[in-house]
Amino acid sequence: MTPARLGALWLVAVALIAGLAVMGFGYVRPGGFVVAGTLVAAAVLRLTMPRGPAGGLVVRSRLADVVFLLGLGLGLFVIVSALDLRPRR
């Protein structure tokens, strides 16, 4: 696949890597919110962009892709929000 055919996937990949890097530096909650927000943004991109520019975000039907990405993003948001990150004794 050429870079032009990957389309918006490049933006999503860079944002996901940035969120994982933030988590890797010890900021789990902010990094988790970045990853969750990126998944929701990917769902919005998939919903609004035509098939060509959406590129690598196109996997199944538009509805299936959007539901899957929104489910992952919102599920991760709930999990990260519920994390208890206080040190244990």
Side-chain angles (χ1 to χ4, degrees), residues 27-52:
Y27 301 102
V28 176
R29 184 165 281 147
F33 286 139
V34 169
V35 172
T38 301
L39 290 170
V40 171
V44 171
L45 285 173
R46 176 64 177 107
L47 182 64
T48 59
M49 294 180 81
R51 190 171 186 85

Side-chain angles (χ1 to χ4, degrees), residues 7-88:
L9 185 64
W10 287 109
L11 296 173
V12 173
V14 168
L16 286 174
I17 290 170
L20 292 174
V22 170
M23 290 172 81
F25 285 115
Y27 301 102
V28 176
R29 184 165 281 147
F33 286 139
V34 169
V35 172
T38 301
L39 290 170
V40 171
V44 171
L45 285 173
R46 176 64 177 107
L47 182 64
T48 59
M49 294 180 81
R51 190 171 186 85
L57 292 177
V58 178
V59 178
R60 295 173 187 82
S61 70
R62 184 180 306 248
L63 178 64
D65 288 342
V66 169
V67 167
F68 183 73
L69 288 168
L70 272 178
L72 281 177
L74 295 175
L76 183 61
F77 180 83
V78 168
I79 290 170
V80 170
S81 297
L83 282 177
D84 181 13
L85 298 173
R86 290 176 289 178
R88 307 264 182 211

